[in-house]
Amino acid sequence: MPAHRHRLRIRLLAALVGLRPAAAGFSTAPTRGCPLHAALARRGAPAAAALALYSRIRAAASPTPYTFSLLLASLASSPSPSPRSPSPGAGGCDRLAAAGLAHAQALKCGALANTIVTNCLLKLYCALGLLPDARRVFDTTGAAALDAVSWNTMVSGYGKSGDLETARDVFARMPDRSLVSWSAMVDACVRAEQFGEALRVFDRMMEEGFRPDAIVLVSVLKACAHLGAVERGRWVHGYLEVEGFGRRSGNVMLETALVDMYCKCGCMEEAWRVFNGVRSHDVVLWNAMIGGLAMNGHGQHAIELFRRMLEKGFVPNESTFIVVLCACTHTGRVDEGKEVFRSMRDHGVEPRREHYGCLADLLGRAGLMEEAEAVLLDMPMEPHASQWGALMSSCLMHNNIVVGKRVGKKLIELEPDDGGRYVLLFNLYAVNGLREDAKAVRRMMEERGARKETGLSFIEWNGLVHEFRSGDTRHPQTRLIYALLEDMEQRLQLIGYVKDTSQVLMDMDDEEDKGSTLSYHSERLALAFGILNIPHDAPIRIVKNLRVCRDCHVHAKLVSKLYHREIIVRDRHRFHLFHDGVCSCNDYW
């Protein structure tokens, strides 16, 4: 926003709440027992109301540091205005302008010499996402007026904004670190999806003698869930039991994180045990369990648990309906999914973009492409590219060239820099023999410099998470892994395995080259590593950041039978449990 417009809004806001230029200095009169201060201390009030209270306090006496700490904290907790909220002149209040006005008042009164006031201002700017403003306050405040809370606030602020690099820099320069500092850094890594780094930071924290609390352990469990690091997650679970966390009230957040972790690692029995052992359930916990059942292919159990939740009097929220619709999607329950969608308003929940997307995905996977397309076109808000992408995947799965051409072109228009969008349309053209159209898509992709997201697979062993990418040669066991893959392929060919190269983006026309590309997909490298290292009586658990391709799905089924191994793969959408040549998804994913 231009500076002159910002100043104008501040002046307008000052006039609205009756503020005149502040006089320097503080009153020595006691104010903590003042009813106006008590009102200002209440959180969640609109910004205009907080400023009006501050104006009344100033009219009675000069404000104190205590006054400003309350004002800044109140503004940080004030609700964000809705898009239809009135302008400041009509009685509404711009939170950004309110923050600027409060900052100016505190500066004129010399309140920023007080560390508590400075910290409240830092928290306000971070809460509003104004990290440059927070950094200016931080950098221009004398070292004597900064404390551990100041540093922690900046690390947390950068972490929550997704700026992991700057969070690392501030964390590294901290003169002293507390448990809160480490917790903020672990959270910053998780928010930036650097889950391996989050666990490494946690390990450093433990080495320095800090005892983890519930907040940092929730972040660690999130990292374990995303990496499929179930052994690390079990360690956290054991620590919670030893330290007595489970015997304390109000730990449903930790218990929910445990359920979510076990579900995302495919350990449903352990997830059930935690869920059933929770003393006081809330809707978030129910959602985690229902969503875990859906992701693991237990659609019927997920729907039954949803009904049980309703019978116990819990009120479903928006997230509840997303996970229930996903349960219907993963098991092909079209009629049931439609009924769930129709019932949302009966429970006081208005369908949002995500719910329409789930309904379209349900229809698309069931082969009802035209109906799915109509849902996305007729929904009252603009669909996200990811929702069009799900429909495009269904078009490729069911080889629907008519809808697929329209959807593929729209996806490229929406996300021209995402190479994965070109890949889907290219493959659809290729499998239908439209080679010239396929070449045109590939040429467009090359001209625009679009890049496909790198496929990564993760597998945990012996306390470490090992990462693989397609054609990877970085791992210390690379020679053994590739030798096993070659032997594996020869044995599979003897029982009739033939590579399906139809979904390989062709930079080459040679079938042998395409087959070679398939042979070294990241999940196959991880699978070979697992067979080499993980005991025969333990399941091999792999997490992949993309959807498993059709050929790798067939490959994993055959390997599970040939090598007598239980293989659990979590891809971007769901779990696949391979056992004795069969997948839990029943080839519906």
Side-chain angles (χ1 to χ4, degrees), residues 118-365:
T118 298
N119 289 340
C120 289
L121 181 60
L122 291 174
K123 290 178 181 177
L124 171 59
Y125 278 138
C126 288
L128 296 176
L130 301 175
L131 270 299
D133 298 83
R135 188 57 181 262
R136 274 193 293 274
V137 173
F138 183 80
D139 289 341
T140 56
T141 300
L146 295 175
D147 62 5
V149 175
S150 316
W151 288 88
N152 292 339
T153 299
M154 295 306 297
V155 173
S156 179
Y158 281 118
K160 289 176 180 177
S161 72
D163 188 353
L164 179 59
E165 183 177 350
T166 309
R168 284 194 200 106
D169 177 65
V170 175
F171 182 77
R173 295 195 297 111
M174 290 185 73
D176 295 294
R177 298 189 186 112
S178 64
L179 176 60
V180 176
S181 316
W182 287 100
S183 180
M185 194 61 222
V186 172
D187 179 67
C189 294
V190 170
R191 288 175 183 271
E193 299 186 357
Q194 297 299 313
F195 305 112
E197 182 177 350
L199 295 183
R200 290 191 293 273
V201 172
F202 177 73
D203 289 341
R204 285 173 53 204
M205 182 195 94
M206 296 292 287
E207 288 167 4
E208 295 199 14
F210 289 93
R211 291 169 59 85
D213 62 3
I215 295 173
V216 72
L217 289 174
V218 166
S219 296
V220 170
L221 286 169
K222 288 179 182 177
C224 293
H226 283 278
L227 292 171
V230 68
E231 293 306 322
R232 292 296 297 271
R234 284 175 177 144
W235 178 91
V236 173
H237 191 179
Y239 179 87
L240 294 176
E241 292 184 339
V242 169
E243 295 297 317
F245 279 83
R247 296 187 293 275
R248 302 173 196 171
S249 60
N251 274 327
V252 69
M253 180 176 67
L254 255 178
E255 292 160 329
T256 301
L258 267 177
V259 168
D260 184 61
M261 182 275 297
Y262 279 129
C263 287
K264 287 180 176 173
C265 291
C267 304
M268 296 310 297
E269 290 185 8
E270 288 164 286
W272 271 119
R273 278 198 293 272
V274 175
F275 179 80
N276 290 328
V278 175
R279 300 176 186 176
S280 178
H281 291 63
D282 66 5
V283 69
V284 180
L285 178 62
W286 284 95
N287 291 349
M289 194 66 222
I290 295 169
L293 289 167
M295 177 180 273
N296 281 272
H298 306 296
Q300 181 60 41
H301 292 312
I303 294 166
E304 289 171 358
L305 189 62
F306 170 60
R307 290 173 181 153
R308 193 172 121 202
M309 169 186 159
L310 297 179
E311 289 170 0
K312 288 185 174 290
F314 288 90
V315 179
N317 58 19
E318 293 173 357
S319 298
T320 310
F321 284 101
I322 289 175
V323 294
V324 175
L325 286 168
C326 285
C328 297
T329 298
H330 290 316
T331 49
R333 299 172 180 273
V334 175
D335 292 338
E336 212 157 357
K338 287 181 177 180
E339 181 56 37
V340 168
F341 185 84
R342 282 192 292 266
S343 73
M344 289 179 63
R345 290 188 177 90
D346 297 338
H347 295 282
V349 178
E350 189 68 24
R352 298 173 66 89
R353 179 185 284 109
E354 294 79 8
H355 302 104
Y356 284 100
C358 288
L359 179 61
D361 192 23
L362 167 67
L363 297 168
R365 291 183 192 225

Side-chain angles (χ1 to χ4, degrees), residues 283-557:
V283 69
V284 180
L285 178 62
W286 284 95
N287 291 349
M289 194 66 222
I290 295 169
L293 289 167
M295 177 180 273
N296 281 272
H298 306 296
Q300 181 60 41
H301 292 312
I303 294 166
E304 289 171 358
L305 189 62
F306 170 60
R307 290 173 181 153
R308 193 172 121 202
M309 169 186 159
L310 297 179
E311 289 170 0
K312 288 185 174 290
F314 288 90
V315 179
N317 58 19
E318 293 173 357
S319 298
T320 310
F321 284 101
I322 289 175
V323 294
V324 175
L325 286 168
C326 285
C328 297
T329 298
H330 290 316
T331 49
R333 299 172 180 273
V334 175
D335 292 338
E336 212 157 357
K338 287 181 177 180
E339 181 56 37
V340 168
F341 185 84
R342 282 192 292 266
S343 73
M344 289 179 63
R345 290 188 177 90
D346 297 338
H347 295 282
V349 178
E350 189 68 24
R352 298 173 66 89
R353 179 185 284 109
E354 294 79 8
H355 302 104
Y356 284 100
C358 288
L359 179 61
D361 192 23
L362 167 67
L363 297 168
R365 291 183 192 225
L368 304 171
M369 254 65 70
E370 287 79 7
E371 193 175 346
E373 184 183 26
V375 168
L376 294 181
L377 290 172
D378 296 340
M379 60 194 276
M381 63 287 291
E382 278 296 312
H384 281 158
S386 60
Q387 293 162 341
W388 287 112
L391 178 55
M392 186 62 190
S393 295
S394 295
C395 290
L396 189 60
M397 181 195 311
H398 295 284
N399 197 22
N400 188 314
I401 187 71
V402 177
V403 176
K405 284 173 65 175
R406 292 195 295 267
V407 175
K409 290 176 180 177
K410 184 168 188 66
L411 271 172
I412 291 174
E413 178 185 324
L414 288 172
E415 295 187 334
D417 296 327
D418 186 346
R421 304 311 187 190
Y422 298 84
V423 170
L424 290 172
L425 184 56
F426 177 96
N427 286 339
L428 185 62
Y429 283 144
V431 297
N432 283 279
L434 302 174
R435 298 183 65 82
E436 292 305 315
D437 291 314
K439 288 179 180 177
V441 171
R442 182 171 62 186
R443 189 162 50 249
M444 189 190 310
M445 179 179 175
E446 291 170 350
E447 289 172 354
R448 295 180 178 179
R451 293 286 180 269
K452 186 176 182 291
E453 184 178 355
T454 301
L456 300 174
S457 291
F458 305 91
I459 183 169
E460 183 190 30
W461 169 240
N462 205 23
L464 295 175
V465 176
H466 301 260
E467 176 190 288
F468 295 93
R469 61 186 64 188
S470 184
D472 211 336
T473 58
R474 300 170 299 162
H475 198 276
Q477 295 185 26
T478 292
R479 185 179 57 81
L480 294 173
I481 289 170
Y482 277 77
L484 177 57
L485 284 173
E486 186 176 339
D487 177 68
M488 192 183 292
E489 193 154 306
Q490 290 173 357
R491 295 178 65 183
L492 291 177
Q493 287 171 354
L494 291 175
I495 60 173
Y497 167 65
V498 178
K499 292 190 181 98
D500 179 358
T501 60
S502 63
Q503 291 189 335
V504 179
L505 178 63
M506 289 174 274
D507 286 326
M508 70 292 286
D509 294 322
D510 190 290
E511 287 295 321
E512 185 176 337
D513 287 338
K514 286 187 283 178
S516 177
T517 300
L518 282 172
S519 297
Y520 306 120
H521 274 186
S522 62
E523 59 267 52
R524 298 198 190 192
L525 298 175
L527 177 55
F529 172 84
I531 291 174
L532 285 169
N533 294 278
I534 296 176
H536 196 274
D537 59 349
I540 297 171
R541 302 177 188 275
I542 299 169
V543 174
K544 181 167 183 178
N545 66 330
L546 303 177
R547 185 177 183 270
V548 173
C549 78
R550 192 157 52 205
D551 186 73
C552 286
H553 190 266
V554 172
H555 181 271
K557 287 197 296 183

